[in-house]
């Protein structure tokens, strides 16, 4: 699968046309969703944070593509390619919180959308080949990468600031029996889970990582970045993320694209993790 080369530099404060991605309508389990694909090599599912596929999410997807993978980026909510504004982002967030597809509140239960994402991973593996598939979730979708481990094709799960459930800091967005199946698979196949958060994140707190650590043991590799590693807030008065009081988005909004920056090191560790599992 080949695509047009992306420009070297993009303005992250302007809507992204996503012109270097192929737009596909993918029907699985009776439901059709738009999926953006680009690149060659084993598949990696990149799931956008709230409120959707922003220019910064697309930037991360391009980094994955350029590392030697075929990116599959499903449209789960929001306006694809849009710079997130406060008004629009708030409306998208509120709709997602009451949607039947996502369990925003209440722990120890899985979001229904995870079944569709597992089917997407199976199709991506069938089309792209290789030993398996990677999955990267962020914020609202962070835990989905873990739930996707119930699909045997998924070998490299990455959880960036997993924020659900919103109402229980120490809760997890997966049913206990499914979490146990994931734990057993990690042990049996010698796999690991990578996870990232900022130390002072108010949406993904230390209690959540502690719950994962207790459930998964040494198979859970939680990375905690200091708040000082987060990039500055946007100066746009209508920016959606101005309402988030703490550092939060490790790979997108609060990413510092500088050599030796902790967020850059996190990005590079993720790409190396994907290469080790899917390209070795």
């Amino acid at each position: 699968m080949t695509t047009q080369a992306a420009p070297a530099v993009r303005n992250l404060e302007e809507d992204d046309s996503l012109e270097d991605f192929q737009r596909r309508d993918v029907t699985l389990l009776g439901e059709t969703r738009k999926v953006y694909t680009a690149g060659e090599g084993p598949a990696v599912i990149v799931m956008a944070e709230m409120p959707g596929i922003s220019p910064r999410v697309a930037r991360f997807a391009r980094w994955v593509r350029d590392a030697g993978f075929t990116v599959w980026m499903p449209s789960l909510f929001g306006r694809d390619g849009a710079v997130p504004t406060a008004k629009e982002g708030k409306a998208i967030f509120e709709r997602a919180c009451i949607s039947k597809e996502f369990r925003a509140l209440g722990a120890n239960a899985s979001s229904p959308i995870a079944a569709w994402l597992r089917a997407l991973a199976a199709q991506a593996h069938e089309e792209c080949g290789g030993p398996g598939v990677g999955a990267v979730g962020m914020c609202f979708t962070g835990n989905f990468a873990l739930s996707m481990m119930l699909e045997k094709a998924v070998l490299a799960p990455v959880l960036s600031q997993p924020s659900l459930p919103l109402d229980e800091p120490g809760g997890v967005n997966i049913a206990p029996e499914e979490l146990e199946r994931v734990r057993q698979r990690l042990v049996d196949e010698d796999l690991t889970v990578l996870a990232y958060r900022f130390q002072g994140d108010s949406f993904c707190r230390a209690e959540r990582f502690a719950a994962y650590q207790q459930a998964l043991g040494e198979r859970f590799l939680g990375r905690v970045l200091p708040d000082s590693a987060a990039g500055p807030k946007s100066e746009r008065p209508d920016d959606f993320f101005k309402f988030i009081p703490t550092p939060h988005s490790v790979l997108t909004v609060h990413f510092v694209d500088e050599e030796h920056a902790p967020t850059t090191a996190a990005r590079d560790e993720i790409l190396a993790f994907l290469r080790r599992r899917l390209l070795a």
Side-chain angles (χ1 to χ4, degrees), residues 11-249:
N11 187 344
L12 298 175
E13 297 299 332
E14 295 181 354
D15 288 356
D16 191 323
S17 67
L18 306 174
E19 80 288 343
D20 51 326
F21 292 84
Q22 179 186 0
R23 295 162 174 80
R24 301 176 54 178
D25 289 325
V26 178
T27 301
L28 298 165
L29 306 179
E31 181 177 2
T32 301
R33 288 186 174 275
K34 185 178 295 182
V35 178
Y36 296 84
T37 62
E40 298 180 345
V44 176
I45 314 297
V46 173
M47 294 165 282
E49 64 191 355
M50 186 61 61
I53 301 175
S54 68
R56 285 175 169 79
V57 170
R59 175 181 64 173
F60 177 78
R62 292 183 177 106
W63 284 332
V64 173
R65 173 200 64 190
D66 294 345
F69 302 99
T70 304
V71 170
W72 290 56
M73 187 165 54
S75 177
L76 301 176
F77 35 69
R79 186 162 55 91
D80 301 336
V83 174
T85 64
K87 182 178 180 180
E88 185 177 20
K90 180 175 182 290
I92 294 166
F93 175 77
E94 290 174 346
R95 286 197 299 271
C97 283
I98 61 174
S99 168
K100 293 181 180 179
E101 295 177 306
F102 307 101
R103 282 188 57 90
L105 305 175
N108 301 321
S110 302
S111 291
I113 189 65
W116 192 91
L117 291 167
R118 288 193 290 270
L120 180 67
Q123 177 169 327
H125 184 219
E126 181 179 354
E127 291 190 21
C128 298
V133 173
V136 182
M138 311 175 191
C139 177
F140 214 78
T141 67
N143 193 78
F144 299 164
L146 187 64
S147 297
M148 289 171 69
M149 287 291 293
L150 296 172
E151 162 54 48
K152 63 181 181 179
V154 179
L155 300 179
V158 179
L159 287 60
S160 189
Q161 74 273 0
S163 302
L164 300 185
L166 298 172
D167 59 339
E168 296 189 40
V172 293
N173 189 241
I174 184 172
E177 62 275 13
E178 293 183 350
L179 184 57
E180 173 56 26
R181 287 167 58 193
V182 169
R183 186 201 67 80
Q184 193 60 54
R185 186 181 172 214
L186 294 171
V187 172
D188 291 346
E189 300 180 35
D190 192 21
L191 301 174
T192 51
V193 177
L194 267 183
Y196 299 84
R197 59 179 290 271
F198 283 110
Q199 185 174 19
D201 190 347
S202 59
F203 289 91
C204 178
R205 289 166 43 177
E207 294 94 323
R208 180 150 299 134
F209 269 31
Y212 286 133
Q213 195 78 62
Q214 182 176 6
L216 304 177
E218 64 183 8
R219 300 293 164 176
F220 178 77
L221 306 178
R223 313 300 197 210
V224 181
L225 280 62
D227 291 350
S228 60
K233 290 185 177 181
S234 169
E235 296 299 322
R236 288 176 33 241
D238 67 336
D239 188 85
F240 173 74
F241 286 91
K242 75 175 185 176
F243 295 112
I244 297 178
T246 59
H248 177 63
S249 299

Side-chain angles (χ1 to χ4, degrees), residues 255-276:
F255 184 89
V256 177
D257 194 7
E258 297 176 359
E259 189 176 5
H260 305 308
T263 53
T264 302
R267 189 260 328 262
D268 293 346
E269 183 181 37
I270 290 169
L271 297 179
F273 175 67
L274 296 171
R275 291 191 192 99
R276 188 165 61 251

